[in-house]
Every structure is written in structure tokens, then in C-alpha cells.
Amino acid sequence: MRAMRRDALAAWGVALLVATNAVVLGGAAYNRGGEPDATLALTERETQLPYPWGFESENSGLSLRLHVRTLEALPTHGAIRIYDLGGYAYGNPQWLDRKKLTELGFDLSTPANDPSGMRRYQKQLPKPAFLVLEMEGEAYRASLKRVEDYAARESTPQAARALEDERSKNGRLFAVDAGLDAEALRAKYADRKRFAIVHGKVWLRDWSDGIGGYVEAVGTTLNVPLRFHGAVGKPQRYDGDKPRKYEVSVAFGRRLEPWMAAAAAR
Amino acid sequence: MAIVSRSEAQRRADEIRTFQRELQTLERDAVVSLTAEQREAIAGHHRRLLSELADAFDIDRDGHAKQLSLGMRIASFLGALALGASVFFLFYQFWGLFSTPVQVAILLAGALGSFGATVWVRSRDGSGYFAKLAALVAFACFVLDIMMLGSIFNITPSDKAFTVWAAYGFLLAYSCDLRLLLVAAILCVVSFVAARTGTVCGLYWLDFGQRPENFFPAAAILFAVPQLVRHERFPEFPAVYRICALLTLFLPMIVLGNWGEISYLDLDRKLIEVLYQVLGFAGTTAFIWLGVRRQWPHVVNTSITLFVVLLYTKFYDWWWEAMPKYLFFLVIALTALLFLVVLRRLRGAAAGGARP
């Protein structure tokens, strides 16, 4: 291989830099061009500011992470406990059953109750899929109903606090479905003000109640442009700091990549 | 003059110095005797050649200069790392204060400006140290550029970024004769090939590291590169490719030899571990043999190191708890002695094979 001359080096280098930046910026422009695929109105309940620790304390930029919940499958035996009602991001969604997992490409053909079958299940790593996110819809109402029923049944301070949190503090953005065809999902979930489709991945997991899984939305950390910094505020430095209340309009483009279209303090 | 790289010029200068020392020894031992004219003709030719090489490439003319050069290389390397980190944190500290168009303009200007500075410094810096420093900063700026654009526009992470980083790394490594950037470019290639292998096997690409077998195709590609592409202007680069290939092949094997459950193979965990241990030992032994046969000392040394790591990992698993510590370390010492004996025999066999 020959050493490169100055002119050739300059030409190749500039071409590579300009072409790469053009492709990246062109892709971003394409994503944001035309009508968004979906636009959701979110608040501080559905978005999280980063905690300013370590290097993050020197970061002058601001980003919000979408806080996606799932309506978990309740335990099939024993009493329902308060932590079964949280709907945490990595819980076992009740809609992610064997049929759905098979549709998403997982091989569940062998029985899980023998060592080789179980090994095959454990070896299956996460698969890419499109996730459907629903804002303040049936999934949130079902979650609220669960907590209301629990609070009515238990009548403890913890149950009352859980109900208050579910009504006014917990996020209302739920992952409600997954699939391999974004257009088919959009046809099924047509309301673009309520349902957004995002890139994600699906994990197979052997829960105590049987084979299930969990989902993770990918690329849902939103950069906050400078013009919205005032509305969103700064990350909480201490747990005692009062979080700022805000509303953000999040648009999802043609490549399903989100961006912050508007923001206002509440 | 056909010499175009500093490493080639340095090698030529070293050969001249070795020749001069050997000629002195031969004359002292009365093996040859040159006339004054012959001696002067050779010395004059060498002086002229060394002077031309020094003017063109700022080579080390003697051992003292060479020692100082090593210090300069270390300073250049540390300086480049620190400067790269400084660029990153400078942007991190202030980027939130700018609007999106200004952020994009700064990133693009940083990438193009640092590249322009590299081209300019390269044409004026005979020693190459400052050009190497500038090249490393240029690479850091480009990585930062693409990462931050992804962050600003919330672009879904893609393994394709590795291809452009690799291309830029190779461009700078080959133009500035810079092994560190070659390693960076190779790491990008390894990541891309492993991610694509994982995708073909049904994984989400970011999880490619969870199945170490994903790295094997990249190892094969890296090992093939110096066989397929001639590097006469970059004599140190083939060794970098082969060392990276060996690490890419055997480090995953060491991992799989200890944690068989993360393999693709649908076999019992213990069986997988034994399989990769055997493959690891057999493979490193084969590469030691190949390295000796092809006279690739870097392959021999890397393979021996990996073999020893494999062996000592297993020794630890088998005997650390079971044996008294004095006995454990005695076994390690005896193994080291056994290695010495085997390698001495190999060296003897290689010397015998090289004899006409």
C-alpha cells in the first residue's frame, strides 16, 4: 500500500466528512419533513430529566427520557401486592403472551419444562421490534382501576399514597403492543394523537408465572433545544428539590424518531 | 529517493548503522580490508543518504536520539488522548448554550477544521509527532460530530456509524503512519462485523457483545488483510492486524471457556466450556507454530500470552481452592519452566530450518 499524497488525503477526507454529515443531517431532515407519524402531549409525568451526577454535572445540554410503563400481568396465584401495581418499565406486559412472542420471532416450540427446552429459552436474546406507546388510554385507565380496587380493599396509608401517585404523579405513557410491521401497527392504532410507534426491543424472560417477556423503547431520549430550556427547567440536584411542571409536545417523524416540537411551563 | 514513510526511512538508517558497525568488526578481525577510496566512497554515500533521510523525515541518527524519540512518542500519545478528551468536554460544557443550527455548525467546523489542521501539520512536520497528535484529535472530533448529531436529532442508534469511523481512522492511520489510529479503525471494523453477525443471527445489533462468537468472522477478516494487501510502505501495520485478529479470536474463546451459557451453541454449558478451552489451546498452539514458521514474532508472542492466560485461568479454576498456595504457585513456576524448554526447542528447530 502506498502512502497518500497531500492532495489525495485532503480530497478523500473532506469527501468523507461532508458526505457523512450530509447523510446524517439529510436523514434527520427526512424524519422531520411532512406530517409527523404521531404527536403526543406529555408532561413531567411521562418524561424524566437526568440526575446531574458525575460528568453529567458539566453537561450544559438538556435531555428528557420518555418514561414508558407497561400494564403488567398480575400473579395467577396468591394475593395481589402493592408492588404488582406499579407498572414498571421492565415489568411483564400482560399482552406479551406466547402468541405475540412467537410473532416477534422467538422460538417457543419446545416445552420449557425440560432442561434442554429451558436452555433454549434462556439463550434467546432480545429481538428488534416496533413498540406501540399509548398516552392516557385504556392501559392507563386499567392501571388506575387496579390501584383504586386495591386501595378500596386494603385501606392502608400505603395504598392511599399509591392511589394518589397513580392519579397525579405516575406516568400515563404505556407500551401496549409490539410488532415487526410498523405500517400494520399504525393501521391498527390509527389515532396519531394517542398512539406513537417507536423502535424498541423485546426480551424473552422466564417469569415465575411462566414464559413472558419485557420490552424496551430505543432512542427515546429527547434532546431539549435551547429555546425550551426555560420551560423544562434544570435537572433536580437534590431529591428535595421541587420538580418543575411542564407540558411538552413530542412529535415522531417518518423514521419514527422523536423530537420536541413545543414545550411550556405549567 | 523511493522511500516515502518515516518508518521506512528509520529502518534504512538503522540498517546503515548496523552495516557500519559490522564493517568495523570485520576489518578489525581482518576478514575484509577496504581501500581508503572504497571506505570513503561508502561513508560518503551513507552520509549523503542519512542527511537526505534526516531532512525529509526527521529520523533518529543515533541511539541517543532514538531514546528521546520514544519519550516524544509517549508524550505525543498522552497529549493526543488529553486533547481529544479536552475537545469532548469543551463541547459538553458549552453545547447547551447554543441553538441547534449553531451546534451543528460547530460540530461540522470542528471535524473539518481538525482535519484541515492535520493535513497542514503533516506537510510541515518531518518528525510526524505533531501530525499524529493532530490526526488523533481529528478522529476524536469526527466521532464526537456523529455522536452528537445523533443525540441532537434523536437518531436511532445504528451500527453503520462504525463504517464511517473506520474509514476515517484508516485514512488518517495510513496517511500519518499512525498505529494507534489503525487500532481504533480496526476496533470499529470489529464492532461493525460483530454487530452484523449478531443481526444475521436475530439479535438487536446493540447486544452483539452478548454472544462472543459474533467476533469470530471479524478475526478471520483481520487476519486475511495483511495477506491480501501489501504493506511495504507500512512495515509495522501487518503486525497490528495480526495481533488484533488473535485478540479478536481468542479473547471471546477465553470468555466462552469460562461462561459457556452465553454461547450460540445449543449444548450443555459444561460441554461448551470444554469445547472452547480445547479450541483455545489448540488454536493458540497452532498460531505459535505458524508464527515460528513464518517468522512472525508478534504472532508467537501474542499466542503465547493468550495460551498462558487460558492455562492460568484453568489452573485457577481447578486448583486455587483445592491446593495449598505454595503448591499452586510451584505448579505455575514449573509450567513457566516447561514453556521455556519448549520454546527453546522451537527456537532451535527454527534456526535449524533456516540454515541452508
Tab-separated table of all heavy atoms in Angstrom, chain B residues 193-244:
chain	number	residue	atom	x	y	z
B	193	VAL	N	-18.609	-5.628	12.119
B	193	VAL	CA	-18.773	-7.014	11.639
B	193	VAL	C	-19.481	-7.859	12.711
B	193	VAL	O	-20.377	-8.651	12.400
B	193	VAL	CB	-17.399	-7.628	11.257
B	193	VAL	CG1	-17.545	-9.099	10.895
B	193	VAL	CG2	-16.782	-6.865	10.102
B	194	ALA	N	-19.105	-7.655	13.970
B	194	ALA	CA	-19.747	-8.419	15.053
B	194	ALA	C	-21.232	-8.053	15.160
B	194	ALA	O	-22.082	-8.922	15.373
B	194	ALA	CB	-19.037	-8.151	16.373
B	195	ALA	N	-21.538	-6.744	14.999
B	195	ALA	CA	-22.942	-6.314	15.068
B	195	ALA	C	-23.746	-6.930	13.924
B	195	ALA	O	-24.873	-7.396	14.121
B	195	ALA	CB	-23.027	-4.791	15.015
B	196	ARG	N	-23.163	-6.934	12.718
B	196	ARG	CA	-23.870	-7.525	11.575
B	196	ARG	C	-24.045	-9.029	11.748
B	196	ARG	O	-25.078	-9.597	11.391
B	196	ARG	CB	-23.094	-7.234	10.272
B	196	ARG	CG	-23.284	-5.822	9.781
B	196	ARG	CD	-24.728	-5.627	9.363
B	196	ARG	NE	-25.163	-4.262	9.561
B	196	ARG	CZ	-25.726	-3.514	8.622
B	196	ARG	NH1	-25.932	-4.001	7.426
B	196	ARG	NH2	-26.121	-2.290	8.903
B	197	THR	N	-23.026	-9.688	12.291
B	197	THR	CA	-23.147	-11.131	12.547
B	197	THR	C	-24.280	-11.376	13.533
B	197	THR	O	-25.105	-12.279	13.339
B	197	THR	CB	-21.823	-11.681	13.124
B	197	THR	OG1	-20.751	-11.261	12.289
B	197	THR	CG2	-21.835	-13.190	13.199
B	198	GLY	N	-24.344	-10.560	14.583
B	198	GLY	CA	-25.421	-10.691	15.570
B	198	GLY	C	-26.775	-10.445	14.947
B	198	GLY	O	-27.745	-11.161	15.223
B	199	THR	N	-26.862	-9.443	14.063
B	199	THR	CA	-28.139	-9.133	13.407
B	199	THR	C	-28.597	-10.310	12.543
B	199	THR	O	-29.772	-10.677	12.557
B	199	THR	CB	-27.987	-7.871	12.537
B	199	THR	OG1	-27.426	-6.839	13.340
B	199	THR	CG2	-29.324	-7.401	12.005
B	200	VAL	N	-27.650	-10.891	11.793
B	200	VAL	CA	-27.987	-12.055	10.960
B	200	VAL	C	-28.505	-13.196	11.832
B	200	VAL	O	-29.410	-13.926	11.443
B	200	VAL	CB	-26.737	-12.492	10.145
B	200	VAL	CG1	-26.945	-13.852	9.496
B	200	VAL	CG2	-26.409	-11.451	9.086
B	201	CYS	N	-27.960	-13.308	13.032
B	201	CYS	CA	-28.391	-14.382	13.938
B	201	CYS	C	-29.634	-13.984	14.736
B	201	CYS	O	-30.026	-14.700	15.668
B	201	CYS	CB	-27.255	-14.749	14.885
B	201	CYS	SG	-25.839	-15.435	14.013
B	202	GLY	N	-30.239	-12.834	14.433
B	202	GLY	CA	-31.523	-12.477	15.029
B	202	GLY	C	-31.454	-11.582	16.247
B	202	GLY	O	-32.459	-11.369	16.908
B	203	LEU	N	-30.285	-11.030	16.575
B	203	LEU	CA	-30.157	-10.161	17.747
B	203	LEU	C	-30.455	-8.714	17.392
B	203	LEU	O	-30.343	-8.318	16.231
B	203	LEU	CB	-28.726	-10.183	18.292
B	203	LEU	CG	-28.129	-11.480	18.774
B	203	LEU	CD1	-26.764	-11.209	19.358
B	203	LEU	CD2	-29.023	-12.079	19.828
B	204	TYR	N	-30.784	-7.928	18.409
B	204	TYR	CA	-30.763	-6.485	18.231
B	204	TYR	C	-29.294	-6.092	18.213
B	204	TYR	O	-28.520	-6.536	19.062
B	204	TYR	CB	-31.503	-5.776	19.371
B	204	TYR	CG	-31.590	-4.298	19.158
B	204	TYR	CD1	-32.404	-3.785	18.158
B	204	TYR	CD2	-30.842	-3.420	19.911
B	204	TYR	CE1	-32.472	-2.425	17.928
B	204	TYR	CE2	-30.903	-2.055	19.685
B	204	TYR	CZ	-31.724	-1.567	18.693
B	204	TYR	OH	-31.770	-0.218	18.453
B	205	TRP	N	-28.869	-5.225	17.276
B	205	TRP	CA	-27.441	-5.065	16.997
B	205	TRP	C	-26.642	-4.596	18.222
B	205	TRP	O	-25.481	-4.984	18.393
B	205	TRP	CB	-27.207	-4.130	15.802
B	205	TRP	CG	-27.338	-2.665	16.078
B	205	TRP	CD1	-28.443	-1.899	15.944
B	205	TRP	CD2	-26.315	-1.786	16.555
B	205	TRP	NE1	-28.178	-0.613	16.294
B	205	TRP	CE2	-26.874	-0.516	16.663
B	205	TRP	CE3	-24.961	-1.948	16.878
B	205	TRP	CZ2	-26.146	0.591	17.103
B	205	TRP	CZ3	-24.229	-0.852	17.320
B	205	TRP	CH2	-24.827	0.396	17.426
B	206	LEU	N	-27.268	-3.777	19.083
B	206	LEU	CA	-26.517	-3.265	20.235
B	206	LEU	C	-26.148	-4.365	21.227
B	206	LEU	O	-25.304	-4.168	22.087
B	206	LEU	CB	-27.349	-2.189	20.950
B	206	LEU	CG	-27.179	-0.768	20.431
B	206	LEU	CD1	-28.212	0.154	21.056
B	206	LEU	CD2	-25.780	-0.252	20.735
B	207	ASP	N	-26.779	-5.541	21.086
B	207	ASP	CA	-26.493	-6.640	22.011
B	207	ASP	C	-25.461	-7.609	21.448
B	207	ASP	O	-25.336	-8.726	21.943
B	207	ASP	CB	-27.794	-7.395	22.322
B	207	ASP	CG	-28.778	-6.511	23.062
B	207	ASP	OD1	-28.385	-5.925	24.079
B	207	ASP	OD2	-29.924	-6.385	22.616
B	208	PHE	N	-24.712	-7.178	20.415
B	208	PHE	CA	-23.798	-8.117	19.756
B	208	PHE	C	-22.739	-8.676	20.713
B	208	PHE	O	-22.260	-9.785	20.552
B	208	PHE	CB	-23.147	-7.482	18.525
B	208	PHE	CG	-22.195	-6.352	18.808
B	208	PHE	CD1	-20.864	-6.602	19.068
B	208	PHE	CD2	-22.619	-5.034	18.795
B	208	PHE	CE1	-19.979	-5.552	19.315
B	208	PHE	CE2	-21.748	-3.988	19.041
B	208	PHE	CZ	-20.414	-4.254	19.305
B	209	GLY	N	-22.398	-7.901	21.746
B	209	GLY	CA	-21.369	-8.354	22.685
B	209	GLY	C	-21.833	-9.496	23.568
B	209	GLY	O	-21.014	-10.140	24.229
B	210	GLN	N	-23.142	-9.776	23.567
B	210	GLN	CA	-23.632	-10.834	24.458
B	210	GLN	C	-23.404	-12.235	23.914
B	210	GLN	O	-23.647	-13.216	24.611
B	210	GLN	CB	-25.127	-10.621	24.728
B	210	GLN	CG	-25.372	-9.323	25.465
B	210	GLN	CD	-26.728	-9.298	26.117
B	210	GLN	OE1	-27.265	-10.320	26.526
B	210	GLN	NE2	-27.307	-8.128	26.216
B	211	ARG	N	-22.999	-12.348	22.655
B	211	ARG	CA	-22.650	-13.656	22.090
B	211	ARG	C	-21.227	-13.530	21.525
B	211	ARG	O	-21.033	-13.014	20.409
B	211	ARG	CB	-23.627	-14.037	20.950
B	211	ARG	CG	-25.008	-14.410	21.424
B	211	ARG	CD	-25.017	-15.802	22.050
B	211	ARG	NE	-26.319	-16.135	22.605
B	211	ARG	CZ	-26.678	-15.918	23.869
B	211	ARG	NH1	-25.844	-15.345	24.714
B	211	ARG	NH2	-27.864	-16.287	24.306
B	212	PRO	N	-20.224	-13.993	22.281
B	212	PRO	CA	-18.834	-13.769	21.856
B	212	PRO	C	-18.494	-14.364	20.488
B	212	PRO	O	-17.549	-13.909	19.834
B	212	PRO	CB	-18.028	-14.453	22.961
B	212	PRO	CG	-18.919	-14.430	24.154
B	212	PRO	CD	-20.303	-14.595	23.620
B	213	GLU	N	-19.273	-15.359	20.042
B	213	GLU	CA	-18.980	-15.940	18.716
B	213	GLU	C	-19.151	-14.903	17.600
B	213	GLU	O	-18.607	-15.076	16.509
B	213	GLU	CB	-19.907	-17.123	18.430
B	213	GLU	CG	-19.537	-18.390	19.184
B	213	GLU	CD	-20.542	-18.713	20.270
B	213	GLU	OE1	-21.187	-17.757	20.769
B	213	GLU	OE2	-20.679	-19.888	20.637
B	214	ASN	N	-19.895	-13.819	17.861
B	214	ASN	CA	-20.074	-12.777	16.844
B	214	ASN	C	-18.742	-12.174	16.393
B	214	ASN	O	-18.657	-11.575	15.325
B	214	ASN	CB	-20.954	-11.649	17.393
B	214	ASN	CG	-22.407	-12.061	17.499
B	214	ASN	OD1	-22.859	-12.944	16.778
B	214	ASN	ND2	-23.137	-11.452	18.405
B	215	PHE	N	-17.695	-12.308	17.220
B	215	PHE	CA	-16.410	-11.689	16.889
B	215	PHE	C	-15.544	-12.556	15.965
B	215	PHE	O	-14.572	-12.056	15.405
B	215	PHE	CB	-15.627	-11.384	18.174
B	215	PHE	CG	-16.255	-10.297	19.006
B	215	PHE	CD1	-17.106	-10.606	20.051
B	215	PHE	CD2	-16.029	-8.964	18.712
B	215	PHE	CE1	-17.710	-9.611	20.798
B	215	PHE	CE2	-16.629	-7.959	19.459
B	215	PHE	CZ	-17.465	-8.287	20.510
B	216	PHE	N	-15.891	-13.829	15.815
B	216	PHE	CA	-15.020	-14.718	15.046
B	216	PHE	C	-14.872	-14.306	13.567
B	216	PHE	O	-13.760	-14.316	13.039
B	216	PHE	CB	-15.502	-16.173	15.151
B	216	PHE	CG	-15.389	-16.745	16.553
B	216	PHE	CD1	-16.088	-17.883	16.916
B	216	PHE	CD2	-14.576	-16.151	17.507
B	216	PHE	CE1	-15.988	-18.405	18.206
B	216	PHE	CE2	-14.470	-16.655	18.798
B	216	PHE	CZ	-15.183	-17.783	19.142
B	217	PRO	N	-15.967	-13.952	12.853
B	217	PRO	CA	-15.781	-13.538	11.450
B	217	PRO	C	-14.849	-12.327	11.326
B	217	PRO	O	-14.030	-12.261	10.403
B	217	PRO	CB	-17.199	-13.183	10.983
B	217	PRO	CG	-18.097	-13.932	11.893
B	217	PRO	CD	-17.400	-13.984	13.215
B	218	ALA	N	-14.954	-11.388	12.274
B	218	ALA	CA	-14.079	-10.200	12.221
B	218	ALA	C	-12.622	-10.609	12.371
B	218	ALA	O	-11.732	-10.053	11.699
B	218	ALA	CB	-14.475	-9.214	13.321
B	219	ALA	N	-12.347	-11.602	13.224
B	219	ALA	CA	-10.968	-12.071	13.416
B	219	ALA	C	-10.423	-12.635	12.111
B	219	ALA	O	-9.270	-12.364	11.731
B	219	ALA	CB	-10.924	-13.127	14.516
B	220	ALA	N	-11.257	-13.414	11.410
B	220	ALA	CA	-10.808	-14.008	10.141
B	220	ALA	C	-10.491	-12.915	9.118
B	220	ALA	O	-9.474	-12.979	8.413
B	220	ALA	CB	-11.883	-14.955	9.609
B	221	ILE	N	-11.350	-11.899	9.056
B	221	ILE	CA	-11.133	-10.800	8.100
B	221	ILE	C	-9.825	-10.073	8.424
B	221	ILE	O	-9.006	-9.806	7.540
B	221	ILE	CB	-12.330	-9.821	8.123
B	221	ILE	CG1	-13.566	-10.501	7.539
B	221	ILE	CG2	-12.014	-8.542	7.351
B	221	ILE	CD1	-14.854	-9.729	7.769
B	222	LEU	N	-9.623	-9.780	9.708
B	222	LEU	CA	-8.410	-9.046	10.098
B	222	LEU	C	-7.152	-9.841	9.765
B	222	LEU	O	-6.148	-9.284	9.311
B	222	LEU	CB	-8.433	-8.750	11.599
B	222	LEU	CG	-9.430	-7.713	12.079
B	222	LEU	CD1	-9.296	-7.502	13.578
B	222	LEU	CD2	-9.213	-6.394	11.360
B	223	PHE	N	-7.210	-11.147	9.990
B	223	PHE	CA	-6.021	-11.959	9.713
B	223	PHE	C	-5.736	-12.017	8.209
B	223	PHE	O	-4.584	-12.100	7.789
B	223	PHE	CB	-6.195	-13.371	10.270
B	223	PHE	CG	-4.886	-14.024	10.590
B	223	PHE	CD1	-4.240	-13.755	11.788
B	223	PHE	CD2	-4.272	-14.865	9.685
B	223	PHE	CE1	-3.010	-14.314	12.080
B	223	PHE	CE2	-3.048	-15.436	9.960
B	223	PHE	CZ	-2.416	-15.163	11.166
B	224	ALA	N	-6.799	-11.939	7.410
B	224	ALA	CA	-6.619	-12.036	5.953
B	224	ALA	C	-6.079	-10.740	5.357
B	224	ALA	O	-5.404	-10.776	4.320
B	224	ALA	CB	-7.956	-12.392	5.302
B	225	VAL	N	-6.338	-9.596	6.014
B	225	VAL	CA	-5.973	-8.302	5.399
B	225	VAL	C	-4.484	-8.216	5.045
B	225	VAL	O	-4.145	-7.930	3.893
B	225	VAL	CB	-6.414	-7.116	6.304
B	225	VAL	CG1	-5.803	-5.806	5.826
B	225	VAL	CG2	-7.923	-6.996	6.298
B	226	PRO	N	-3.561	-8.474	5.989
B	226	PRO	CA	-2.144	-8.329	5.603
B	226	PRO	C	-1.686	-9.388	4.597
B	226	PRO	O	-0.637	-9.221	3.968
B	226	PRO	CB	-1.385	-8.468	6.926
B	226	PRO	CG	-2.320	-9.092	7.869
B	226	PRO	CD	-3.696	-8.784	7.418
B	227	GLN	N	-2.460	-10.465	4.446
B	227	GLN	CA	-2.115	-11.460	3.431
B	227	GLN	C	-2.542	-10.970	2.045
B	227	GLN	O	-1.904	-11.289	1.040
B	227	GLN	CB	-2.817	-12.799	3.706
B	227	GLN	CG	-2.628	-13.338	5.105
B	227	GLN	CD	-1.170	-13.465	5.473
B	227	GLN	OE1	-0.702	-12.779	6.373
B	227	GLN	NE2	-0.425	-14.286	4.761
B	228	LEU	N	-3.636	-10.199	2.020
B	228	LEU	CA	-4.192	-9.776	0.731
B	228	LEU	C	-3.701	-8.392	0.298
B	228	LEU	O	-3.645	-8.094	-0.886
B	228	LEU	CB	-5.731	-9.747	0.811
B	228	LEU	CG	-6.391	-11.086	1.168
B	228	LEU	CD1	-7.883	-10.908	1.370
B	228	LEU	CD2	-6.118	-12.118	0.075
B	229	VAL	N	-3.377	-7.531	1.280
B	229	VAL	CA	-2.949	-6.156	0.959
B	229	VAL	C	-1.476	-6.011	1.330
B	229	VAL	O	-1.095	-6.260	2.471
B	229	VAL	CB	-3.789	-5.122	1.760
B	229	VAL	CG1	-3.381	-3.707	1.389
B	229	VAL	CG2	-5.267	-5.345	1.529
B	230	ARG	N	-0.680	-5.606	0.342
B	230	ARG	CA	0.764	-5.473	0.620
B	230	ARG	C	1.012	-4.166	1.365
B	230	ARG	O	0.424	-3.140	1.061
B	230	ARG	CB	1.545	-5.507	-0.687
B	230	ARG	CG	1.427	-6.866	-1.372
B	230	ARG	CD	2.150	-6.879	-2.683
B	230	ARG	NE	3.593	-6.727	-2.489
B	230	ARG	CZ	4.444	-6.518	-3.484
B	230	ARG	NH1	4.017	-6.420	-4.709
B	230	ARG	NH2	5.728	-6.389	-3.234
B	231	HIS	N	1.912	-4.230	2.343
B	231	HIS	CA	2.167	-3.073	3.206
B	231	HIS	C	3.642	-2.700	3.190
B	231	HIS	O	4.204	-2.385	4.233
B	231	HIS	CB	1.755	-3.391	4.642
B	231	HIS	CG	0.294	-3.279	4.907
B	231	HIS	ND1	-0.593	-4.299	4.681
B	231	HIS	CD2	-0.463	-2.247	5.374
B	231	HIS	CE1	-1.816	-3.906	4.995
B	231	HIS	NE2	-1.768	-2.662	5.416
B	232	GLU	N	4.265	-2.676	2.012
B	232	GLU	CA	5.722	-2.428	2.044
B	232	GLU	C	6.064	-1.021	2.549
B	232	GLU	O	7.116	-0.815	3.121
B	232	GLU	CB	6.411	-2.764	0.737
B	232	GLU	CG	6.054	-2.125	-0.586
B	232	GLU	CD	4.743	-2.505	-1.226
B	232	GLU	OE1	4.457	-3.692	-1.436
B	232	GLU	OE2	4.025	-1.557	-1.551
B	233	ARG	N	5.122	-0.055	2.428
B	233	ARG	CA	5.380	1.297	2.943
B	233	ARG	C	5.067	1.403	4.437
B	233	ARG	O	5.402	2.390	5.061
B	233	ARG	CB	4.517	2.330	2.203
B	233	ARG	CG	4.654	2.304	0.710
B	233	ARG	CD	5.993	2.852	0.282
B	233	ARG	NE	6.092	2.906	-1.157
B	233	ARG	CZ	7.231	2.992	-1.797
B	233	ARG	NH1	8.373	3.042	-1.145
B	233	ARG	NH2	7.245	3.038	-3.108
B	234	PHE	N	4.354	0.425	4.949
B	234	PHE	CA	3.957	0.466	6.370
B	234	PHE	C	4.345	-0.864	7.015
B	234	PHE	O	3.484	-1.702	7.315
B	234	PHE	CB	2.447	0.692	6.498
B	234	PHE	CG	1.959	1.921	5.794
B	234	PHE	CD1	1.458	1.841	4.501
B	234	PHE	CD2	2.028	3.157	6.411
B	234	PHE	CE1	1.035	2.975	3.831
B	234	PHE	CE2	1.596	4.290	5.751
B	234	PHE	CZ	1.106	4.207	4.446
B	235	PRO	N	5.661	-1.066	7.223
B	235	PRO	CA	6.100	-2.398	7.665
B	235	PRO	C	5.563	-2.810	9.027
B	235	PRO	O	5.546	-3.998	9.347
B	235	PRO	CB	7.629	-2.259	7.700
B	235	PRO	CG	7.897	-0.791	7.737
B	235	PRO	CD	6.764	-0.133	7.045
B	236	GLU	N	5.111	-1.824	9.837
B	236	GLU	CA	4.633	-2.186	11.183
B	236	GLU	C	3.133	-2.520	11.207
B	236	GLU	O	2.634	-3.014	12.210
B	236	GLU	CB	4.906	-1.017	12.148
B	236	GLU	CG	6.391	-0.808	12.397
B	236	GLU	CD	6.698	0.567	12.954
B	236	GLU	OE1	5.920	1.503	12.678
B	236	GLU	OE2	7.706	0.702	13.636
B	237	PHE	N	2.417	-2.245	10.135
B	237	PHE	CA	0.959	-2.418	10.153
B	237	PHE	C	0.495	-3.884	10.122
B	237	PHE	O	-0.473	-4.230	10.801
B	237	PHE	CB	0.312	-1.640	9.002
B	237	PHE	CG	0.151	-0.161	9.296
B	237	PHE	CD1	0.886	0.448	10.301
B	237	PHE	CD2	-0.728	0.617	8.564
B	237	PHE	CE1	0.752	1.811	10.568
B	237	PHE	CE2	-0.876	1.981	8.829
B	237	PHE	CZ	-0.132	2.571	9.828
B	238	PRO	N	1.144	-4.770	9.316
B	238	PRO	CA	0.663	-6.168	9.317
B	238	PRO	C	0.645	-6.781	10.709
B	238	PRO	O	-0.282	-7.531	11.064
B	238	PRO	CB	1.663	-6.881	8.400
B	238	PRO	CG	2.132	-5.819	7.473
B	238	PRO	CD	2.196	-4.572	8.304
B	239	ALA	N	1.657	-6.436	11.523
B	239	ALA	CA	1.690	-6.976	12.889
B	239	ALA	C	0.477	-6.504	13.683
B	239	ALA	O	-0.113	-7.280	14.453
B	239	ALA	CB	2.976	-6.536	13.581
B	240	VAL	N	0.079	-5.247	13.479
B	240	VAL	CA	-1.089	-4.716	14.208
B	240	VAL	C	-2.345	-5.504	13.819
B	240	VAL	O	-3.145	-5.897	14.679
B	240	VAL	CB	-1.282	-3.210	13.904
B	240	VAL	CG1	-2.548	-2.675	14.562
B	240	VAL	CG2	-0.070	-2.421	14.368
B	241	TYR	N	-2.509	-5.757	12.507
B	241	TYR	CA	-3.673	-6.527	12.054
B	241	TYR	C	-3.680	-7.922	12.687
B	241	TYR	O	-4.714	-8.403	13.160
B	241	TYR	CB	-3.658	-6.678	10.529
B	241	TYR	CG	-4.165	-5.469	9.792
B	241	TYR	CD1	-3.290	-4.592	9.175
B	241	TYR	CD2	-5.527	-5.215	9.692
B	241	TYR	CE1	-3.744	-3.478	8.492
B	241	TYR	CE2	-5.994	-4.104	9.000
B	241	TYR	CZ	-5.095	-3.240	8.400
B	241	TYR	OH	-5.566	-2.145	7.738
B	242	ARG	N	-2.503	-8.570	12.671
B	242	ARG	CA	-2.471	-9.965	13.160
B	242	ARG	C	-2.695	-10.019	14.670
B	242	ARG	O	-3.397	-10.902	15.163
B	242	ARG	CB	-1.129	-10.612	12.785
B	242	ARG	CG	-1.005	-10.864	11.307
B	242	ARG	CD	0.160	-11.750	10.960
B	242	ARG	NE	0.426	-11.644	9.542
B	242	ARG	CZ	1.432	-10.941	9.013
B	242	ARG	NH1	2.292	-10.326	9.796
B	242	ARG	NH2	1.579	-10.874	7.709
B	243	ILE	N	-2.092	-9.080	15.402
B	243	ILE	CA	-2.291	-9.076	16.867
B	243	ILE	C	-3.774	-8.831	17.188
B	243	ILE	O	-4.359	-9.519	18.022
B	243	ILE	CB	-1.386	-8.008	17.535
B	243	ILE	CG1	0.072	-8.441	17.443
B	243	ILE	CG2	-1.783	-7.794	18.988
B	243	ILE	CD1	1.073	-7.366	17.833
B	244	CYS	N	-4.383	-7.863	16.480
B	244	CYS	CA	-5.811	-7.598	16.709
B	244	CYS	C	-6.651	-8.817	16.339
B	244	CYS	O	-7.635	-9.139	17.021
B	244	CYS	CB	-6.264	-6.383	15.894
B	244	CYS	SG	-5.613	-4.835	16.524
